[in-house]
Amino acid sequence: MTLFRLSFFVLVLCYFFTVFSRPTGAHLRNMDSFIRAVEQVEDSNPGLSPLALVRALRRTAGHDDVMTIHFLGVSNNLTDAEVLETAILNASSFSFFDKAIHHIVTNYGEERGVVLAPDGTTVALGPLLLGIESGLKAKIEGTPAVGIFPLTLGRTLGLSFLSLKDFPPSFRLGPNGCWDNTDRPKLFKLYRPATLATDAVINGGMDGVILGMDLSNLPASEEPQALSEVLKGYYSFILHEGEGLDAVTSHVSPRRREISRSILEPLDLHSQVMETLTLVWRLEKTEWFALDTDVGKAVRDGLQTFVHKYWDCPQIIPRCQWGAKAHQGTPIPLSLPLQFLYVHHTYQPSSPCLSFPNCSRDMRAMQRFHQEDRGWADIGYSFVVGSDGYVYEGRGWKHLGTHTRGHNSIGYGVSIIGNYTTTLPSRHARYLLRHRLVQCAVDGRWLAANFTIHGHRQAVNYTSCPGDALFSEIRGWEHFRE
């Protein structure tokens, strides 16, 4: 390299260091900050391909393990034209991207390498980006995207099942956690000791499967979008009043569970995980796995838990995530399973909520009204369904609610945000309640298999809840009784 070229290179590096050192909010651990940082790299490198960028991000995060190299090759195996771009990326924003992508759980239960998505869920960036890279590689090379499942979910699930095979299946996956502040998230703390497959890792893996398959299946004539555009289309969409998720035909994050299920369930997950573990044993020389005769059973049991927790059950936004105040006094435990599910509408707020910030605000408003105006110990409902694609935790599965006078101890009270006197909730909100939440409750033994659905008005004669339109709708549901 000549002295002139070397001087120019140093000047370029200094320029990018200055750009990325400016206070842009990138220190916040949310998806929007990550996307903005990616956009800065793209804007400063107009010729940078999405595949070169995700490879550079992989190298920055140190994700060149043997399985990743087996499917994707080494991350520094780039063309001469891309070496300079990778050097710029590493010099200008190494620290941010390394902290954002590299996944670890500290001894104090802090999970790093995860970000808060706009929809209120937490996503590990590592498996997400590996899925995207696998899809881009398959698209460009015109080859099958064989590495997507092993790199996003297969290895993590399999090793989590085996490493904790002496524990109950429910402890082999998760947990979830909560952020210190959802407006300015900086620290994510888990509820209990982590498995290899925390909720954030599984969310990132499901998203990596979805986006990786989308990219690999692009028509030959269609070029992939920039990485920032791929992420914005999936995470930063806007739902519109009166339409909600019903009008969304593209793949978006609130539907990660149903979409990932539609992609992966036909593949025979047990065989997929066993094949992945065989590859792990061959590549990583894990002799303990080869000698273990209970691998098939551990995988089968673990997958049952995975399907129940992440596909059958809806994503439930925990209390700490929507900003709940503490329960006043000591919560009263329920005697389980319960026999009834009582359907409500909130009436006020009267409009469906279409985003995590709005649904969280509605939850806080209802809790404030129930505690301060009505003198109740907490928000009355067991669960609340938003029109953003999520269920919000109220009193939860285990504790007595204040939702249906005279019947609180024998049933759960589930409300849909909005006034449904003359209009129905969105199809997706009804689906979450009628199928996903109910199935989750029965399979989890919170609700008896022969349970009964009632509208609020059937148990309490002074109310029109859950509204005429919604009550007419639930009269046609399974388990409804007059």
Side-chain angles (χ1 to χ4, degrees):
M1 182 180 289
T2 66
L3 180 61
F4 171 78
R5 291 179 66 193
L6 179 61
S7 300
F8 174 76
F9 181 70
V10 171
L11 286 173
V12 170
L13 291 184
C14 290
Y15 166 75
F16 281 104
F17 180 79
T18 301
V19 169
F20 281 94
S21 297
R22 293 172 185 164
T24 61
H27 64 286
L28 298 179
R29 290 170 57 187
N30 56 31
M31 184 64 75
D32 288 340
S33 294
F34 179 74
I35 292 173
R36 284 195 297 271
V38 168
E39 280 183 309
Q40 286 181 314
V41 176
E42 292 169 341
D43 292 345
S44 304
N45 297 267
L48 185 64
S49 71
L51 181 57
L53 179 50
V54 290
R55 279 176 174 164
L57 291 174
R58 168 157 60 101
R59 186 179 183 188
T60 300
H63 286 172
D64 267 356
D65 56 82
V66 290
M67 176 166 278
T68 304
I69 292 172
H70 173 79
F71 285 110
L72 300 177
V74 294
S75 58
N76 61 353
N77 185 22
L78 307 174
T79 66
D80 292 338
E82 291 168 341
V83 170
L84 177 62
E85 294 160 346
T86 304
I88 291 171
L89 172 65
N90 288 338
S92 61
S93 53
F94 175 89
S95 178
F96 169 70
F97 283 121
D98 175 53
K99 292 177 180 176
I101 302 170
H102 186 68
H103 184 268
I104 60 169
V105 177
T106 71
N107 292 334
Y108 301 101
E110 178 190 352
E111 187 172 14
R112 299 175 182 174
V114 301
V115 295
L116 176 64
D119 63 5
T121 58
T122 302
V123 176
L125 289 170
L128 164 67
L129 294 174
L130 288 175
I132 290 173
E133 184 178 349
S134 298
L136 288 168
K137 182 176 183 291
K139 154 67 178 167
I140 290 170
E141 296 179 355
T143 57
V146 292
I148 290 183
F149 177 73
L151 292 175
T152 56
L153 286 172
R155 182 182 185 276
T156 302
L157 288 177
L159 292 181
S160 187
F161 299 154
L162 295 187
S163 63
L164 297 168
K165 64 184 180 64
D166 295 327
F167 286 73
S170 59
F171 281 86
R172 298 177 199 171
L173 298 172
N176 201 353
C178 265
W179 289 92
D180 55 340
N181 186 313
T182 55
D183 292 325
R184 301 184 64 79
K186 294 182 180 179
L187 185 145
F188 186 70
K189 195 80 176 288
L190 296 173
Y191 295 149
R192 58 174 172 81
T195 68
L196 293 174
T198 64
D199 281 14
V201 168
I202 291 178
N203 284 340
M206 288 191 286
D207 292 348
V209 166
I210 294 166
L211 293 177
M213 291 302 297
D214 285 350
L215 290 164
S216 70
N217 291 328
L218 285 175
S221 58
E222 186 175 338
E223 290 296 318
Q225 289 182 303
L227 176 60
S228 62
E229 293 302 315
V230 171
L231 295 174
K232 282 192 285 188
Y234 186 74
Y235 293 107
S236 301
F237 56 91
I238 297 175
L239 299 179
H240 298 286
E241 189 76 36
E243 298 176 336
L245 278 173
D246 293 351
V248 178
T249 56
S250 59
H251 288 170
V252 292
S253 57
R255 284 187 158 152
R256 67 166 60 87
R257 296 190 174 207
E258 58 195 89
I259 299 168
S260 63
R261 184 174 203 160
S262 69
I263 294 171
L264 293 175
E265 198 168 42
L267 301 183
D268 183 0
L269 277 189
H270 186 268
S271 296
Q272 293 289 320
V273 173
M274 292 296 290
E275 289 175 13
T276 301
L277 287 174
T278 301
L279 183 61
V280 170
W281 172 70
R282 179 166 65 82
L283 294 174
E284 301 180 11
K285 307 296 188 260
T286 48
E287 295 181 7
W288 60 269
F289 163 63
L291 299 174
D292 196 322
T293 57
D294 294 330
V295 171
K297 182 179 185 307
V299 169
R300 191 172 292 106
D301 291 345
L303 284 173
Q304 275 190 324
T305 301
F306 170 78
V307 169
H308 166 70
K309 185 174 180 180
Y310 298 102
W311 283 352
D312 290 342
C313 289
Q315 175 82 57
I316 297 176
I317 303 295
R319 292 170 59 88
C320 58
Q321 196 80 332
W322 58 260
K325 291 183 179 179
H327 183 101
Q328 295 174 356
T330 302
I332 300 173
L334 290 164
S335 179
L336 301 170
L338 302 187
Q339 188 62 48
F340 292 88
L341 187 145
Y342 300 104
V343 177
H344 299 247
H345 70 162
T346 62
Y347 189 73
Q348 290 292 337
S350 60
S351 298
C353 65
L354 300 172
S355 68
F356 168 68
N358 288 342
C359 293
S360 297
R361 182 194 62 210
D362 288 346
M363 292 295 291
R364 292 191 298 271
M366 284 187 285
Q367 185 188 40
R368 187 165 53 248
F369 174 69
H370 290 174
Q371 287 183 322
E372 297 177 6
D373 291 32
R374 293 193 168 176
W376 297 347
D378 202 346
I379 187 170
Y381 305 117
S382 306
F383 296 95
V384 178
V385 180
S387 293
D388 61 336
Y390 295 108
V391 176
Y392 287 75
E393 181 185 24
R395 302 282 181 103
W397 297 120
K398 299 179 181 180
H399 296 130
L400 182 74
T402 313
H403 47 78
T404 311
R405 180 175 293 181
H407 298 75
N408 294 313
S409 63
I410 60 173
Y412 292 110
V414 181
S415 190
I416 303 179
I417 293 179
N419 178 352
Y420 300 109
T421 303
T422 59
T423 61
L424 282 174
S426 68
R427 288 191 307 274
H428 197 267
R430 301 194 314 264
Y431 166 81
L432 284 181
L433 172 53
R434 179 180 181 178
H435 298 292
R436 296 277 67 86
L437 189 65
V438 161
Q439 183 176 352
C440 181
V442 172
D443 291 348
R445 299 181 181 177
W446 310 112
L447 196 60
N450 63 342
F451 73 96
T452 295
I453 289 180
H454 278 164
H456 184 194
R457 64 174 66 180
Q458 291 175 269
V460 180
N461 59 16
Y462 58 78
T463 181
S464 61
C465 179
D468 291 345
L470 180 54
F471 183 64
S472 178
E473 165 75 12
I474 68 171
R475 293 177 78 171
W477 291 5
E478 302 85 354
H479 295 275
F480 177 85
R481 300 288 183 271
E482 291 290 354

